[in-house]
Amino acid sequence: MRRKILRIAVLFSGGKDSNYALWCLMQQGFEITSLITVIPKALNSYMFHYPNVEWTKLQAEALNLPINFINVREGKNEELKDLLFQLRNLKEKLYFKGLGFGVVASEYQKTKLEFICEELGLASYTPLWMKNQKSLLKEEIESGFEIIITACMAKGLNREWLGKKIDEENLQKLIILSEKHGFNLIFEGGEAETFILDGPMFKKRISILESEIEWMGDSGLLRIKKAKLINKKIIINKN
């Protein structure tokens, strides 16, 4: 008997974990009806990624997937109320039956999102939940995701990390720093933020043409000011 393909939407911040969660769900055969990017009013949102979320529109184009944006007010309760209300409208418009998200270790985020799914009659999918943090980052790198750091908010992550690519070499450096300073290796506590320039499911990759660093004391952001999609290089094996 043929398995019925389930239509789902995916909460999508543009960072490493939401992209990898999307990839995992696509690999599992789900039909992605839309990416949903939440734009929080608060810089220190309890739930949502902030830096450069407006550029998820370029990622959606590279993925050839539709995207919808949800603006939420400041405050724990307000942002959840706004998310619930606008997800209900999108569910009625797009007819999705489930919601995927890239939460890894935050009980707060997982509990709140699962509550919203229950209220809306949606199935919830968390393909990265409780994965080993070192293994997860290694998987993301080895799967072909090009990850850059766009915010540093923890001791041990200085200005030089902004814009830096998380590759195998820098992963080992991050592991050492996280053990020394005690920050969360996957940044789920807000220690840092990331942005994806390319991935295995991207039809094109993102090229950053202009950016600026805003450094304030012991933390800062890399703001993408101008970017475009470019064709991927074709590697020809001559052997």
Side-chain angles (χ1 to χ4, degrees):
M1 183 176 177
R2 189 175 180 182
R3 184 172 71 90
K4 186 177 180 181
I5 297 175
L6 187 65
R7 293 167 56 87
I8 67 171
V10 176
L11 288 182
F12 190 74
S13 69
K16 58 182 177 56
D17 297 330
S18 65
N19 269 277
Y20 191 55
L22 171 66
W23 172 239
C24 291
L25 292 166
M26 292 170 73
Q27 292 288 94
Q28 292 170 26
F30 289 98
E31 179 186 349
I32 312 299
T33 62
S34 177
L35 305 175
I36 298 175
T37 294
V38 179
I39 302 178
K41 186 175 182 181
L43 295 176
N44 58 343
S45 170
Y46 290 94
M47 286 286 293
F48 306 112
H49 179 111
Y50 182 81
N52 301 302
V53 288
E54 68 274 17
W55 289 102
T56 55
K57 63 186 178 183
L58 213 54
Q59 292 177 329
E61 188 178 342
L63 289 160
N64 196 27
L65 287 172
I67 188 167
N68 286 272
F69 291 88
I70 290 177
N71 290 279
V72 296
R73 293 169 293 167
E74 189 170 353
K76 278 186 177 182
N77 293 330
E78 285 73 17
E79 61 184 17
L80 291 172
K81 286 178 183 177
D82 290 348
L83 179 62
L84 175 62
F85 176 76
Q86 293 184 65
L87 275 178
R88 179 176 284 115
N89 290 339
L90 284 175
K91 178 193 172 187
E92 293 174 359
K93 176 183 175 183
L94 302 175
Y95 308 108
F96 53 84
K97 301 295 184 182
L99 185 68
F101 35 96
V103 63
V104 181
S106 171
E107 289 281 358
Y108 177 80
Q109 291 182 353
K110 186 171 185 286
T111 300
K112 296 302 182 184
L113 290 171
E114 286 181 341
F115 172 78
I116 286 174
C117 285
E118 188 174 340
E119 286 289 302
L120 297 176
L122 294 171
S124 62
Y125 298 95
T126 54
L128 311 186
W129 181 242
M130 296 307 289
K131 273 183 167 284
N132 177 275
Q133 296 182 12
K134 292 180 186 178
S135 298
L136 175 58
L137 269 172
K138 199 170 190 307
E139 284 176 25
E140 291 170 343
I141 294 166
E142 291 177 349
S143 295
F145 287 92
E146 187 176 346
I147 310 163
I148 62 167
I149 295 177
T150 54
C152 294
M153 307 291 184
K155 185 178 179 181
L157 294 174
N158 58 28
R159 180 190 178 105
E160 283 65 41
W161 279 98
L162 289 174
K164 189 167 285 190
K165 183 178 176 180
I166 303 181
D167 53 18
E168 190 63 46
E169 180 182 352
N170 286 328
L171 172 57
Q172 298 309 313
K173 294 177 182 178
L174 283 172
I175 291 170
I176 293 169
L177 285 174
S178 70
E179 290 172 349
K180 179 179 179 180
H181 296 285
F183 63 78
N184 186 291
L185 183 61
I186 55 168
F187 311 146
E188 196 159 74
E191 292 85 353
E193 303 286 3
T194 61
F195 189 80
I196 294 293
L197 300 178
D198 195 6
M201 66 286 202
F202 280 40
K203 308 299 186 289
K204 294 185 177 183
R205 70 180 301 276
I206 296 171
S207 174
I208 297 175
L209 303 177
E210 185 180 345
S211 64
E212 66 177 6
I213 289 176
E214 297 177 6
W215 193 260
M216 302 150 283
D218 57 358
S219 63
L221 307 173
L222 175 77
R223 291 199 183 276
I224 300 171
K225 301 184 73 175
K226 190 176 180 182
K228 69 175 183 178
L229 292 177
I230 61 174
N231 292 326
K232 295 189 180 189
K233 292 180 180 179
I234 299 174
I235 299 174
I236 300 174
N237 189 347
K238 295 181 179 181
N239 294 327

